[in-house]
Amino acid sequence: MKQTQNTRSSHPIDPRSKWALWGLLAWAIIPWKGLEYGLFESSFSEILHAYAWSSLNTSVLSLLVFVLFLLRPWRSLPKANLLDAVLSLGTFVGIIFTAAVLKESLGYSAAIQLTFLLFIFSLALARLGFIQGDPFMTTAIVVIMASITIFVLFPISTVFSKVLYLEDGTFTPMAFIKNITSFGVGRTLMNSLLLAVTVGLSSTFLGLCFSLFTVRITKRFKGVARIFSMLPIVTPPFVIGLSLILIFGRNGTINDGLLALFGNGGLFIPSGSEGWFHRSAYIYGFWGIFLAQTLSFTPICFMLLVGMVSTINPAVEEASVTMRASNAQTFYHVTFPLLRPGIANAYLLAVISSLADFGNPMVLGGDYDVLATEIYFSIVGAQLDYARAATLGILLLSFSLLAFVIQRQWIGKKSYVTVTGKGSGGYFQPLPALVRRVATTVSLSWMAFTAVLYGSILLGGFVVNWGANYTPTLAHYEELWARGIGYGAWPSYITTLKFAAIGAPLTALMGLMIAYVTTRKRFVGRGVVDFSAMISFAIPGTVIGISYVLAFNTAPILINGTAIIIIISFIFKNMPVGIRSGISALSQIDKSLEEASLTQRASSIRTIFTIVLPLLRPAMISAIVFSFVKSMTTVSAIIFLVTADTQVATTYIMGRVEDGDYGQAISYGSVLIVTMLLVILLVEKLVGRSRIERA
């Protein structure tokens, strides 16, 4: 018996043979071709026809290769591992290209077998010495690079190709020039840039005032500041725009009040005289979008600046005062220059956010066109012009990337270190009187305005029709939530919760894994992963949506209209959150902890799960919570991807806005805000306060 056990342990099954066996099993029992209506809603004949063995198709390639790996006649050759790598990767690429040429949609079995081919390729690379022969880390890197290539680089390249090739494949190199010089594109581009520049200035100024006020002027508003910084995270798109309509719109509170005072028959208008005030829709257009975006992005700038204001070393200011500088001179020549990187960071991030914003221009744009909404109308409107949408998407992506690159390069080449390992004492010096007055006035006014704004959001759902009939009612909530779980807002609400719950942990896992391999490992292709992670920050949601429509609406990867594509868009749009959380947390973990585990002959997978992941728990929780919240509130990335069966909360709200049913839209938005606040507070209660940031 003992000899038999030793014999078995000395001849274990080769991992490549295991993956080949699993691949053959998937080939036999799971449908190879894509099913238009999914596995559970397709007919028996449709499922039967989708199997690999039901007809001659590209599955022949995987069948032959898995049989070869099972036999592996070249195992004794000196370059057997190199042959494994070439054959597995070549088959992976060959299946995808052959299916594309034959217009064959790949299904579940194809996805599984392609994954197994990647596993075999990873094992071969590890045997060749990649990442010190570590199979787990090699597999992680290969899967990450394949995922980024398929779901980031490929869709973006498809957008570029659509302006060079017509639907029939005709090469048209001048199509981009024709589209970019067509009527209205220049005006739309200038509108977007003007709006982004001005919103960047206003948001950064207000964020700086608020950070100075909370850190250097008063301590009583720190709780308010926390709520203020959390509101834009949990506020769904359209809701801020809707609240502005309730206040400033044609039938808004201000119009009603001024009409009652100075309109026909107003309080201050003599009997028989015509009033000088008439209703106006002045909130629509540039100023409405400007105000809504400033409200949305000021808290982002505040969160970026408040940490920098807090961490300035007081000894630097004390040294200036010791040299007989006044408070004003100290602020303008010492404190303010130290804040420049944070100010530049906040400004450029506000510019990127403004360019990418879809919800506010959609609600308040009027005749003021911007790139994000024009992309939407190029496809959803009567034009159905993919080439124009792709051209506008390239413009939007180009300027977003330009702002992001400037941000990274400008900040990265300067040093503003004031916090060192040495202890420091002292107190902040008083701010100049003018700065105190401006910061206090602006901050208190802004908080009051924000309170009125969100108050209108809560109250707007409890009246019959804001601006026309202020009779209290629960009709909107009854329509949405009281007619049964299959009616009203329930289907979209449950679908959103389901998609967000699936996507959030996958997003966090992908982001943290990318953070780990890019900060702890050096490998060929690391630059590609770094670049892809960088552009993920800057890709506007609208561009992601249009790129996914163009890339995954045809074979070989035909997943448009499914829940899978929505979850994938969540993962890769919110992936930077996990990357940033992971990099920040890993910078605080000494590499010697991992090296000690590896020295004790623990595998890399055991080291990660027993050493690294427990230490990354706060970052993972933060990434999961934030990804969940972002998935609940996103609209621009999925507006082209949802169908009647996969409608989510934000698209439901958008439908109510387009129908002019502001009461239901506001009511639904209020429920989402409460839901996400409860999730955040519950997580903080259970595991401690998470470091929730806005991407």
Side-chain angles (χ1 to χ4, degrees):
M1 176 68 72
K2 186 175 180 180
Q3 183 177 1
T4 304
Q5 290 176 346
N6 290 337
T7 304
R8 286 178 181 175
S9 61
S10 61
H11 297 285
I13 299 177
D14 186 86
R16 282 158 290 208
S17 300
K18 290 181 180 179
W19 294 125
L21 282 171
W22 282 111
L24 291 173
L25 185 63
W27 187 92
I29 67 174
I30 302 175
W32 169 268
K33 296 180 182 178
L35 294 166
E36 184 178 356
Y37 302 106
L39 185 61
F40 301 104
E41 296 185 11
S42 298
S43 65
F44 177 76
S45 60
E46 290 172 335
I47 295 175
L48 191 65
H49 181 69
Y51 274 98
W53 37 261
S54 66
S55 61
L56 185 63
N57 49 59
T58 52
S59 66
V60 173
L61 294 175
S62 64
L63 175 64
L64 293 175
V65 169
F66 282 132
V67 170
L68 279 175
F69 273 116
L70 202 58
L71 301 173
R72 204 162 172 257
W74 59 85
R75 63 168 54 93
S76 59
L77 297 178
K79 295 187 177 181
N81 288 318
L82 181 60
L83 284 173
D84 291 341
V86 171
L87 183 59
S88 56
L89 183 62
T91 306
F92 179 91
V93 176
I95 289 174
I96 293 177
F97 273 95
T98 305
V101 171
L102 298 177
K103 304 296 183 183
E104 181 181 311
S105 175
L106 301 177
Y108 298 110
S109 178
I112 293 171
Q113 292 177 64
L114 289 171
T115 303
F116 290 162
L117 286 170
L118 285 182
F119 289 166
I120 295 173
F121 174 69
S122 303
L123 185 62
L125 283 185
R127 298 284 173 85
L128 290 170
F130 191 73
I131 310 293
Q132 292 79 48
D134 188 336
F136 176 76
M137 290 309 305
T138 303
T139 302
I141 291 170
V142 168
V143 171
I144 286 170
M145 294 184 69
S147 301
I148 288 175
T149 301
I150 294 173
F151 296 114
V152 177
L153 301 181
F154 170 60
I156 294 300
S157 65
T158 304
V159 172
F160 283 87
S161 69
K162 284 296 179 181
V163 299
L164 297 177
Y165 293 90
L166 299 178
E167 292 295 327
D168 60 0
T170 305
F171 180 58
T172 55
M174 297 303 293
F176 179 77
I177 302 299
K178 180 181 178 182
N179 283 318
I180 206 172
T181 55
S182 62
F183 177 77
V185 172
R187 175 175 56 84
T188 303
L189 176 61
M190 292 306 298
N191 286 349
S192 298
L193 294 177
L194 175 63
L195 184 66
V197 169
T198 52
V199 167
L201 290 172
S202 62
S203 301
T204 305
F205 172 73
L206 290 167
L208 178 61
C209 288
F210 203 70
S211 58
L212 290 173
F213 177 71
T214 54
V215 176
R216 302 289 295 272
I217 298 175
T218 181
K219 303 293 184 183
R220 289 182 297 177
F221 290 94
K222 282 201 168 182
V224 177
R226 186 178 169 220
I227 296 173
F228 179 80
S229 64
M230 194 184 296
L231 282 175
I233 299 175
V234 300
T235 302
F238 312 114
V239 172
I240 288 181
L242 286 177
S243 62
L244 288 175
I245 292 175
L246 297 182
I247 296 174
F248 297 103
R250 185 175 182 84
N251 293 320
T253 305
I254 291 181
N255 261 324
D256 284 346
L258 291 175
L259 195 66
L261 295 175
F262 306 107
N264 293 336
L267 182 62
F268 296 105
I269 301 300
S271 178
S273 300
E274 183 179 354
W276 58 265
F277 179 80
H278 302 279
R279 291 191 183 275
S280 170
Y282 53 85
I283 193 62
Y284 297 99
F286 173 83
W287 291 109
I289 306 173
F290 169 80
L291 184 56
Q293 290 189 347
T294 302
L295 281 161
S296 300
F297 307 141
T298 292
I300 303 175
C301 299
F302 164 71
M303 286 189 289
L304 288 171
L305 289 167
V306 69
M308 183 161 283
V309 173
S310 302
T311 55
I312 290 178
N313 194 333
V316 180
E317 295 183 355
E318 284 189 347
S320 174
V321 174
T322 303
M323 300 300 292
R324 298 183 178 179
S326 65
N327 290 336
Q329 289 173 322
T330 300
F331 178 78
Y332 292 117
H333 297 289
V334 177
T335 307
F336 188 75
L338 290 173
L339 293 175
R340 283 177 184 168
I343 292 172
N345 200 0
Y347 174 75
L348 290 168
L349 188 56
V351 168
I352 294 171
S353 300
S354 175
L355 286 171
D357 184 33
F358 172 79
N360 292 312
M362 187 71 184
V363 174
L364 297 169
D367 59 355
Y368 193 87
D369 303 324
V370 295
L371 288 173
T373 53
E374 278 299 293
I375 293 172
Y376 173 75
F377 288 120
S378 295
I379 295 179
V380 177
Q383 303 177 59
L384 196 61
D385 191 343
Y386 285 105
R388 176 182 169 84
T391 301
L392 296 176
I394 291 171
L395 286 176
L396 183 56
L397 177 61
S398 300
F399 282 98
S400 296
L401 280 175
L402 177 62
F404 190 78
V405 169
I406 292 172
Q407 177 195 30
R408 283 173 61 98
Q409 294 297 320
W410 194 86
I411 300 300
K413 293 182 179 180
K414 298 179 183 294
S415 176
Y416 297 85
V417 175
T418 67
V419 179
T420 65
K422 301 177 181 180
S424 61
Y427 299 94
F428 288 122
Q429 299 303 305
L431 295 174
L434 177 62
V435 174
R436 287 201 306 272
R437 285 195 296 268
V438 170
T440 301
T441 303
V442 168
S443 299
L444 292 177
S445 302
W446 196 252
M447 283 190 289
F449 182 66
T450 303
V452 170
L453 194 72
Y454 279 88
S456 70
I457 293 174
L458 294 175
L459 294 175
F462 291 99
V463 298
V464 173
N465 187 359
W466 191 284
N469 186 348
Y470 291 98
T471 304
T473 181
L474 294 175
H476 302 308
Y477 287 92
E478 290 175 358
E479 180 71 20
L480 291 174
W481 310 106
R483 297 178 55 195
I485 203 166
Y487 297 91
W490 279 111
S492 62
Y493 182 74
I494 294 172
T495 300
T496 307
L497 287 174
K498 183 167 58 178
F499 289 169
I502 295 172
L506 295 175
T507 302
L509 182 63
M510 173 70 78
L512 292 175
M513 202 65 209
I514 291 175
Y516 184 81
V517 300
T518 54
T519 57
R520 292 292 204 254
K521 304 296 179 182
R522 297 292 181 269
F523 55 91
V524 177
R526 180 173 174 270
V528 175
V529 177
D530 273 340
F531 174 75
S532 303
M534 182 195 77
I535 66 172
S536 294
F537 280 96
I539 299 176
T542 317
V543 176
I544 288 181
I546 181 63
S547 66
Y548 274 33
V549 167
L550 296 175
F552 302 125
N553 200 33
T554 56
I557 308 175
L558 179 56
I559 55 177
N560 267 0
T562 65
I564 294 174
I565 194 171
I566 296 175
I567 294 172
I568 289 173
S569 70
F570 285 167
I571 293 171
F572 288 92
K573 181 69 178 79
N574 301 326
M575 182 177 67
V577 179
I579 296 174
R580 189 163 60 183
S581 297
I583 290 175
S584 176
L586 286 167
S587 65
Q588 300 172 335
I589 300 174
D590 197 328
K591 290 178 67 175
S592 62
L593 295 173
E594 300 159 52
E595 292 169 355
S597 175
L598 295 171
T599 302
Q600 294 297 316
R601 298 185 178 180
S603 63
S604 61
I605 185 170
R606 185 172 182 182
T607 299
I608 288 174
F609 279 95
T610 59
I611 304 294
V612 179
L613 281 182
L615 294 173
L616 287 178
R617 184 168 173 262
M620 177 169 285
I621 292 169
S622 175
I624 289 174
V625 172
F626 190 90
S627 300
F628 178 85
V629 170
K630 289 288 289 180
S631 299
M632 291 283 290
T633 59
T634 190
V635 64
S636 57
I638 62 170
I639 191 66
F640 304 113
L641 307 177
V642 295
T643 64
D645 294 328
T646 59
Q647 190 176 46
V648 295
T650 49
T651 56
Y652 186 94
I653 294 174
M654 181 178 170
R656 302 285 72 73
V657 172
E658 291 178 338
D659 293 340
D661 193 349
Y662 296 158
Q664 287 194 24
I666 288 285
S667 302
Y668 202 162
S670 302
V671 171
L672 286 185
I673 290 174
V674 172
T675 300
M676 289 176 284
L677 281 175
L678 288 176
V679 169
I680 292 173
L681 295 176
L682 179 63
V683 170
E684 289 187 1
K685 182 71 174 176
L686 293 176
V687 298
R689 186 175 175 183
S690 351
R691 294 167 294 182
I692 300 173
E693 303 171 319
R694 185 181 178 100

